[in-house]
Amino acid sequence: MFQEMLLQKYPYRMVPGLPPKRMLGADREFIESRRRALKRFINLVARHPSFWDDILVNIFLSYNSQDVQNKMRESIRGVGDEYLTTTFAAQAKDFLPADIQVQFAASRELIRNIFNSFYKLRDRAERMAARAIDNATDLMGFGKELSALGSDTTPLPSWAAHSSWGALKQALKGLSVEFTVLADKAAQQGKLEEIDVVDKLNLFLDLLQSYKDLCERHEKGVLHKHQKALHKYSLMKRQMISATVQNKEAESVEQLESRIVEQENAIMVMELRNYFSLFCLHQETQLIHIYLPLTSHILGAFVNSQIQGHKEMNQVWNELKPKLNCLFVGSSSLATPPLSPEERHFFSR
């Protein structure tokens, strides 16, 4: 409802899309995903130069009553869209560069290419974060199996009375704790990548998508209506010429002239709206370029999360390494399996 009202008031601006709802089967993962999407939506709306101090937005963000929808409807009733409320809307053409159509086409192509690349980057970042979470699950499972081995109470047969199994069980149970720590570190890295990398990529993608939607509204909306009105005007002029040649009744000709005048006025308004739409698009394109440096922040967050995650995991693995000696070095009275050259090198370091 809020998004529809915002579009009604600002049809020539980048209005981000709301995440889809799911009435049935809304699991925890979907709820968390939608919560993040709503947060991004609110951030983009609240940061937009045309929206941030609008009464409609203020009501949506701060009104704490059940009749908030009625309150929002009242705020836009009879107000009109941005074209009608902007004092210089009719002079928008004067503020545009002469090659605005060429610039618009180039900007649209650039944003389309950026969107496609960032879409792929987001998908890969999501998979990397998911792999970190899966790695945490596997490490946790690995540790649980070690703990299960160490906690096994099955009695040993008499011939295995001098087996090293008892000592190994104690060592395995102790090592299981280390894998719990490793699992926590992997999970933390996955969450960090989701928050600092994937969410920022999604925020930028939401903005780029709203720009693409705006371009489509411009072409299928005011521009299409303007072209359609011009075509209708051309047909009416032909009818007028035909009526004059055929010496039709004066009343019929006057009605046709009146309709032509009305059409001319409608075309003039549509033309002004078309230029105002291009003016807004020009501003929104500049806003996209203001957001472009977010790329460096995203890459910085990605690199930092990788460095921090691998550093912490490396520290735990290094602390775990000397604790493995108890698994390979038995007492002098117990036989130990022969070590490979790689194992001897590993434990001699």
Side-chain angles (χ1 to χ4, degrees), residues 297-317:
H297 295 281
I298 294 171
L299 290 175
F302 174 69
V303 172
N304 288 335
S305 70
Q306 292 296 313
I307 292 173
Q308 184 68 21
H310 288 297
K311 180 181 178 181
E312 293 181 358
M313 291 287 283
N314 183 62
Q315 182 179 349
V316 179
W317 282 118

Side-chain angles (χ1 to χ4, degrees), residues 164-216:
S164 61
W165 180 234
L168 283 172
K169 284 201 305 180
Q170 288 297 111
L172 293 174
K173 191 171 184 179
L175 290 173
S176 67
V177 178
E178 305 297 330
F179 280 89
T180 300
V181 177
L182 285 167
D184 289 340
K185 296 297 182 183
Q188 288 173 18
Q189 182 178 355
K191 291 295 182 183
L192 192 64
E193 289 174 1
E194 281 185 349
I195 296 170
D196 287 353
V197 181
V198 176
D199 262 12
K200 285 185 174 67
L201 284 168
N202 277 324
L203 177 72
F204 195 41
L205 281 172
D206 289 347
L207 182 72
L208 294 174
Q209 182 62 56
S210 66
Y211 182 86
K212 291 177 65 180
D213 294 342
L214 175 60
C215 292
E216 190 171 336

Side-chain angles (χ1 to χ4, degrees), residues 9-278:
K9 196 170 184 180
Y10 296 98
Y12 311 123
R13 298 291 179 181
M14 291 188 298
V15 178
L18 279 168
K21 295 180 180 180
R22 185 186 295 175
M23 302 305 295
L24 298 175
D27 54 19
R28 182 179 300 178
E29 183 178 352
F30 174 81
I31 293 173
E32 174 61 18
S33 174
R34 191 167 193 275
R35 183 193 68 80
R36 290 181 180 177
L38 287 171
K39 183 179 178 180
R40 296 195 302 270
F41 171 83
I42 291 173
N43 279 333
L44 289 174
V45 169
R47 293 174 184 177
H48 195 286
S50 298
F51 304 156
W52 70 272
D53 63 344
D54 188 274
I55 184 173
L56 177 64
V57 176
N58 289 331
I59 292 172
F60 176 75
L61 294 177
S62 61
Y63 200 68
N64 280 330
S65 178
Q66 292 183 351
D67 64 336
V68 61
Q69 291 189 4
N70 293 330
K71 196 75 175 177
M72 288 192 297
R73 287 194 189 95
E74 290 176 7
S75 72
I76 65 172
R77 185 175 293 123
V79 174
D81 63 20
E82 189 181 9
Y83 172 80
L84 297 175
T85 58
T86 303
T87 54
F88 62 85
Q91 289 80 42
K93 182 180 180 180
D94 300 333
F95 300 101
L96 291 172
D99 61 342
I100 182 60
Q101 294 290 355
V102 176
Q103 289 193 27
F104 167 60
S107 296
R108 187 175 188 181
E109 180 66 15
L110 173 65
I111 301 305
R112 186 185 70 83
N113 293 336
I114 293 174
F115 177 87
N116 290 338
S117 292
F118 268 83
Y119 189 88
K120 294 174 183 176
L121 287 173
R122 191 278 313 275
D123 283 354
R124 282 158 177 74
E126 277 186 338
R127 287 200 291 270
M128 293 177 71
R131 282 199 298 270
I133 301 295
D134 290 341
N135 188 34
T137 302
D138 290 337
L139 286 167
M140 180 66 73
F142 198 96
K144 285 182 178 179
E145 291 305 320
L146 292 180
S147 178
L149 283 171
S151 303
D152 185 70
T153 57
T154 305
L156 291 174
S158 57
W159 60 265
H162 299 291
S163 170
S164 61
W165 180 234
L168 283 172
K169 284 201 305 180
Q170 288 297 111
L172 293 174
K173 191 171 184 179
L175 290 173
S176 67
V177 178
E178 305 297 330
F179 280 89
T180 300
V181 177
L182 285 167
D184 289 340
K185 296 297 182 183
Q188 288 173 18
Q189 182 178 355
K191 291 295 182 183
L192 192 64
E193 289 174 1
E194 281 185 349
I195 296 170
D196 287 353
V197 181
V198 176
D199 262 12
K200 285 185 174 67
L201 284 168
N202 277 324
L203 177 72
F204 195 41
L205 281 172
D206 289 347
L207 182 72
L208 294 174
Q209 182 62 56
S210 66
Y211 182 86
K212 291 177 65 180
D213 294 342
L214 175 60
C215 292
E216 190 171 336
R217 284 201 303 275
H218 171 74
E219 290 193 334
K220 293 185 177 181
V222 62
L223 183 60
H224 177 70
K225 289 178 180 177
H226 185 215
Q227 293 172 343
K228 190 176 180 180
L230 287 172
H231 178 68
K232 184 178 179 180
Y233 176 75
S234 176
L235 293 177
M236 292 172 70
K237 291 290 286 184
R238 291 176 187 174
Q239 290 177 359
M240 184 65 182
I241 294 172
S242 176
T244 304
V245 171
Q246 296 176 13
N247 292 322
K248 288 190 175 182
E249 296 180 3
E251 184 177 348
S252 176
V253 173
E254 288 178 2
Q255 289 178 352
L256 190 55
E257 286 179 343
S258 176
R259 287 171 55 200
I260 289 175
V261 171
E262 289 178 1
Q263 189 67 10
E264 287 175 343
N265 292 332
I267 288 173
M268 184 178 66
V269 172
M270 288 180 189
E271 185 175 355
L272 292 175
R273 276 189 173 271
N274 183 43
Y275 281 117
F276 182 71
S277 177
L278 284 169

